[in-house]
Amino acid sequence: MLSIPSPNALDASRLIVEPTPTPKPVPSDSSTLVFGQTFTDHMLTVRWNVSTGWDAPVIKPYAPLMLDPASTVLHYAPTLFEGMKAYKDKQGRTRLFRPDLNMARMNRGAARMAFPTFDGSELVSLIKELLRIDDRWMPTDPGCSMYIRPTMIGTRASLGVGPSTEVLLFVIMCPVAKYYSSGAKPVSLLASTKDVRAFPGGTGSYKFGLNYAACVAPQMEAAQKGYQQVLWVLGDDHECTEVGMMNLVGGKKREDGSVELFTPPLSDIILPGVTRNSVLALARAHADPSNPFTLEGVPSNLVVSERKVTMPELRDAARDGTLLEVFGTGTAAVVTSVERIGYEGEDVKVPVEGGNGFGPIAGAFYEALQAIQYGDLEFADWSVVV
Amino acid sequence: MLSIPSPNALDASRLIVEPTPTPKPVPSDSSTLVFGQTFTDHMLTVRWNVSTGWDAPVIKPYAPLMLDPASTVLHYAPTLFEGMKAYKDKQGRTRLFRPDLNMARMNRGAARMAFPTFDGSELVSLIKELLRIDDRWMPTDPGCSMYIRPTMIGTRASLGVGPSTEVLLFVIMCPVAKYYSSGAKPVSLLASTKDVRAFPGGTGSYKFGLNYAACVAPQMEAAQKGYQQVLWVLGDDHECTEVGMMNLVGGKKREDGSVELFTPPLSDIILPGVTRNSVLALARAHADPSNPFTLEGVPSNLVVSERKVTMPELRDAARDGTLLEVFGTGTAAVVTSVERIGYEGEDVKVPVEGGNGFGPIAGAFYEALQAIQYGDLEFADWSVVV
């Protein structure tokens, strides 16, 4: 009988560490760092191929990747990534925020991309080890954190379009400043009725590189017109989908005096954001009288809706004074309040009255999430000590 | 007065050639080559950055690219490419086929991708020089050719989503066998009503890598169900858009006895294929009584339509016997006849009665295009001697 070796699984216990012989100086003031441009001493790489499975993971000096010019990632864009952060708590311990959600999303994307899937807890173990090895890079200034970028790319050196028989998984990390170094600033959006980010039957719900490249030119056009980011709308009814690279959340006064917190439901066109999920869970905990958790400054009669939102609805609610807030949620900035939305030649004005650059609802989420992320507040098992 | 240097344009006269010290053996039998896996000795690379413009072009040994792991192409998929072929004529001269169309499409894509544009004739000059340098790799077996892959990728080493301030343009080449080494074989398609390739407001009309990655898993699903490629349909009326990675063309009998050649019109959801364009031009020349060009075996009462085509229309035309042919057009295979289309649980049978693996219309286009590409037939100024 012929014995066919079964391909190796991703296995953190096989890790090989090659420490850098030339450690770089760590920036003395992490509050001045530009997002995503300063990387730590090491990176994690794990190769996979279809016949042998996952190679031994390697943590080695951060260095250029050698890629055959025919590598599929350079031609057909098989690439997916995650965005995560690690935080130092007051006890000096490093903490990850809900890494299980990132791993689940990454595996869901891997399946859609015809990439190999893996045991997410193995990759979390490897990321923890990378954090330990580059611990001296962990920012300790208030509000600073370590941005972690797990990435998978197709590396088969062939111009035929087909399954990725070779894949590279790698993780790089950058210390990042508080996103709003001089206090939060609300942003302006231009509702795009011309360019579409995602569509039914497409891949907008996956963290695929391919969802991002085509957003750059529309973003530059919006900037030329005086808006900072694009609000992606879809279809004849101008359904709101996402804000720049963030999920969209809003607050509205209802006739019975309660407040509705609304966000588009998950679908083909909405990325299942970790911050979005967390905001909804916190809002539901706040609205639940049996749960002791509260969002400071947010009315207790909060109704949480995942439902379709359109630009005409937002415009009308702004006009009649029922629109309370609009904000984006995402890992990089946590929450970002919106102050105006350019739509069909008019500027829809959105209230931002929290006094600290956030509306009161967005600000409450920001404070609560930061407290959980830095380990000052326990909520479920969201904050994971490394 | 401060003098601001204007960024350099792409300039073929600045070419630097670094010949390989270790030429590889050229495959003795090009008819056995697998598409896109064997590369010539050299490649062309040209770096661009936003402040100085285009560097001097370099032709150097084919070798891995060194890419920072934070390069935007690996994360956000800013990549676009072209597919072109070069052919040896009976006089031993190398010929390109309509390279001006590839250059125009590449520049149109570059603008949409927020990449730099360039003078296409400069890149054609550089490609000609690469062909001269690697001339010993040019296949001379009948039906074989050199596949040329110009590519542009964003290389800025930063995780911020934004314009590509650094770009690498490169060209690699592979000798390729006749696509149908043992005669043309018609293919089966599965009409995809679940996964969508392109959509209004999106980038389906650009040769962007991002349009390809998400096609792999649906293609694998189709293969599992016994179909070779996916027919991409869109919307509730199941509008036909493209066939695998090719444009869709069909032929239909009309009540007045004439034959309609139809293909979807160019739009956001259709790639402006060079072969598609050429097929339409040849068909119109054939139908024009004042033009001496004829497609052998194709009725002279040919009507050429660029119009919407739906799956119900194709199914009904197959049932009532008016459907003559369906085929895909593209650079790799030139034309590919379709013999059946899986649609809503039934197999729509498409006639393929040319006797050589093509229907008569597809076969006539194949013969005419090959004759022009190999310099055996003059048509306009389509075939360009290197």
Side-chain angles (χ1 to χ4, degrees):
Chain A
M1 233 176 90
L2 190 70
S3 143
I4 297 165
S6 76
N8 289 317
L10 179 64
D11 181 355
S13 74
R14 296 173 65 206
L15 176 66
I16 296 162
V17 179
E18 301 167 2
T20 181
T22 52
K24 296 177 283 191
V26 173
S28 54
D29 181 3
S30 37
S31 70
T32 61
L33 289 168
V34 176
F35 178 82
Q37 297 196 358
T38 303
F39 298 91
T40 67
D41 279 328
H42 298 88
M43 62 183 182
L44 169 73
T45 67
V46 201
R47 295 198 169 273
W48 176 91
N49 78 64
V50 70
S51 48
T52 56
W54 293 98
D55 280 2
V58 182
I59 289 178
K60 59 185 180 186
Y62 185 98
L65 302 173
M66 303 267 284
L67 290 175
D68 192 288
S71 300
T72 50
V73 65
L74 306 180
H75 299 267
Y76 309 124
T79 169
L80 61 86
F81 66 93
E82 281 297 322
M84 311 164 65
K85 279 184 174 171
Y87 311 83
K88 273 283 179 205
D89 68 17
K90 291 198 170 59
Q91 290 75 46
R93 294 175 301 188
T94 297
R95 290 168 170 270
L96 287 165
F97 182 68
R98 308 190 76 184
D100 52 319
L101 292 191
N102 295 98
M103 295 301 109
R105 186 169 64 183
M106 199 169 181
N107 268 308
R108 182 174 158 268
R112 176 65 183 83
M113 191 59 93
F115 278 173
T117 55
F118 53 88
D119 179 344
S121 67
E122 296 293 318
L123 184 53
V124 171
S125 294
L126 291 164
I127 288 171
K128 287 179 175 175
E129 192 55 32
L130 185 60
L131 282 163
R132 281 181 211 112
I133 287 173
D134 278 341
D135 185 59
R136 68 190 190 96
W137 288 85
M138 237 352 259
T140 51
D141 300 320
C144 296
S145 57
M146 184 74 89
Y147 183 82
I148 303 164
R149 172 56 62 92
T151 312
M152 290 176 85
I153 60 175
T155 52
R156 177 172 53 94
S158 161
L159 299 183
V161 176
S164 290
T165 52
E166 294 176 41
V167 168
L168 177 68
L169 187 164
F170 65 92
V171 181
I172 53 178
M173 304 198 302
C174 13
V176 294
K178 197 169 178 169
Y179 206 82
Y180 303 109
S181 47
S182 53
K185 285 203 185 68
V187 297
S188 55
L189 307 179
L190 180 61
S192 165
T193 51
K194 180 179 65 124
D195 297 304
V196 170
R197 188 197 84 92
F199 54 98
T203 59
S205 72
Y206 299 94
K207 217 158 170 68
F208 285 176
L210 65 88
N211 293 323
Y212 293 78
C215 295
V216 172
Q219 156 72 31
M220 291 167 75
E221 279 176 48
Q224 278 164 3
K225 291 175 183 160
Y227 298 88
Q228 289 159 282
Q229 297 194 30
V230 174
L231 173 61
W232 302 101
V233 303
L234 182 71
D236 294 337
D237 55 359
H238 295 169
E239 181 177 357
C240 296
T241 63
E242 298 199 4
V243 174
M245 315 291 156
M246 298 181 286
N247 289 116
L248 170 82
V249 185
K252 211 171 155 179
K253 260 183 269 185
R254 306 211 309 175
E255 281 186 13
D256 64 3
S258 64
V259 169
E260 184 196 26
L261 188 85
F262 58 85
T263 190
L266 294 184
S267 73
D268 283 359
I269 57 174
I270 303 292
L271 187 83
V274 174
T275 312
R276 174 190 180 281
N277 177 297
S278 304
V279 160
L280 290 175
L282 293 181
R284 288 181 174 126
H286 172 83
D288 176 359
S290 72
N291 191 316
F293 175 81
T294 56
L295 289 159
E296 212 181 305
V298 175
S300 60
N301 56 352
L302 191 70
V303 178
V304 181
S305 307
E306 295 179 75
R307 63 158 175 90
K308 184 168 177 170
V309 181
T310 69
M311 262 319 296
E313 180 198 344
L314 292 186
R315 179 194 54 203
D316 296 348
R319 282 182 186 162
D320 68 20
T322 55
L323 186 65
L324 294 173
E325 285 184 44
V326 173
F327 53 97
T329 66
T331 293
V334 190
V335 298
T336 303
S337 284
V338 174
E339 61 179 359
R340 67 186 169 104
I341 307 171
Y343 176 58
E344 294 194 329
E346 88 174 87
D347 264 2
V348 174
K349 295 274 194 299
V350 182
V352 185
E353 290 159 1
N356 55 354
F358 293 118
I361 303 174
F365 283 118
Y366 181 77
E367 296 300 334
L369 285 167
Q370 292 276 97
I372 297 166
Q373 287 162 341
Y374 286 91
D376 299 326
L377 175 67
E378 282 273 330
F379 190 92
D381 50 358
W382 287 3
S383 183
V384 176
V385 174
V386 170
Chain B
M1 233 175 88
L2 193 68
S3 142
I4 297 165
S6 76
N8 289 317
L10 179 64
D11 181 355
S13 74
R14 296 173 65 205
L15 176 66
I16 297 162
V17 178
E18 300 167 2
T20 180
T22 52
K24 296 177 283 191
V26 174
S28 55
D29 181 3
S30 36
S31 70
T32 61
L33 290 167
V34 177
F35 177 83
Q37 298 197 357
T38 303
F39 297 92
T40 67
D41 279 328
H42 298 89
M43 63 182 181
L44 168 73
T45 66
V46 201
R47 295 199 170 271
W48 176 90
N49 78 63
V50 71
S51 48
T52 56
W54 292 98
D55 280 3
V58 182
I59 290 178
K60 60 185 179 186
Y62 185 98
L65 302 172
M66 302 268 284
L67 291 174
D68 191 288
S71 299
T72 50
V73 65
L74 305 180
H75 299 266
Y76 308 124
T79 169
L80 60 86
F81 66 93
E82 281 298 323
M84 312 165 65
K85 277 184 176 172
Y87 310 83
K88 272 284 179 205
D89 68 17
K90 292 198 169 60
Q91 290 75 45
R93 294 175 302 188
T94 297
R95 290 168 170 270
L96 287 165
F97 182 68
R98 310 189 76 185
D100 51 320
L101 292 190
N102 296 99
M103 294 302 109
R105 186 169 63 184
M106 200 168 180
N107 269 308
R108 182 174 158 269
R112 177 64 183 83
M113 192 59 92
F115 278 172
T117 56
F118 53 87
D119 179 344
S121 67
E122 295 293 318
L123 183 54
V124 171
S125 294
L126 292 164
I127 289 170
K128 287 179 176 176
E129 192 54 32
L130 185 60
L131 282 164
R132 282 182 211 112
I133 288 172
D134 277 342
D135 186 59
R136 70 189 190 96
W137 287 85
M138 237 351 258
T140 51
D141 300 321
C144 297
S145 56
M146 183 75 88
Y147 184 81
I148 304 163
R149 172 56 61 92
T151 312
M152 290 175 86
I153 60 174
T155 53
R156 177 170 54 94
S158 161
L159 298 183
V161 176
S164 290
T165 51
E166 294 177 41
V167 169
L168 177 69
L169 187 164
F170 65 92
V171 181
I172 53 177
M173 306 199 300
C174 13
V176 293
K178 196 169 178 168
Y179 206 83
Y180 303 109
S181 47
S182 55
K185 285 204 186 69
V187 297
S188 55
L189 308 178
L190 180 61
S192 165
T193 50
K194 179 179 63 125
D195 297 304
V196 170
R197 188 197 84 94
F199 55 97
T203 58
S205 72
Y206 300 94
K207 217 158 172 67
F208 286 176
L210 65 88
N211 294 321
Y212 293 78
C215 295
V216 172
Q219 156 72 31
M220 290 167 76
E221 280 176 46
Q224 277 165 3
K225 291 175 182 160
Y227 298 89
Q228 288 158 283
Q229 297 194 29
V230 174
L231 173 61
W232 302 102
V233 303
L234 183 70
D236 293 338
D237 55 359
H238 294 168
E239 182 178 357
C240 296
T241 64
E242 298 198 3
V243 173
M245 315 291 157
M246 299 180 285
N247 289 116
L248 170 83
V249 185
K252 212 171 156 180
K253 261 183 267 185
R254 306 211 309 175
E255 281 185 12
D256 64 3
S258 63
V259 169
E260 184 196 25
L261 187 86
F262 57 86
T263 191
L266 295 184
S267 72
D268 282 0
I269 57 172
I270 302 292
L271 187 83
V274 174
T275 312
R276 174 191 180 280
N277 178 298
S278 303
V279 159
L280 290 175
L282 292 180
R284 288 181 173 126
H286 171 83
D288 177 359
S290 71
N291 190 316
F293 175 81
T294 56
L295 290 159
E296 213 182 303
V298 175
S300 59
N301 56 352
L302 189 71
V303 178
V304 181
S305 307
E306 295 180 74
R307 64 159 175 88
K308 184 168 177 170
V309 181
T310 69
M311 261 320 294
E313 180 198 345
L314 293 185
R315 179 193 55 203
D316 295 349
R319 281 181 187 162
D320 68 21
T322 55
L323 187 65
L324 295 172
E325 286 181 45
V326 172
F327 53 97
T329 67
T331 293
V334 190
V335 298
T336 302
S337 284
V338 174
E339 61 178 359
R340 68 187 169 104
I341 306 171
Y343 175 59
E344 295 194 327
E346 91 175 82
D347 263 4
V348 175
K349 294 275 193 300
V350 182
V352 185
E353 289 159 3
N356 55 354
F358 293 118
I361 303 174
F365 283 118
Y366 181 77
E367 296 300 333
L369 285 166
Q370 292 278 96
I372 297 165
Q373 287 163 341
Y374 285 91
D376 298 327
L377 174 66
E378 282 274 329
F379 190 91
D381 50 359
W382 286 3
S383 183
V384 176
V385 174
V386 170

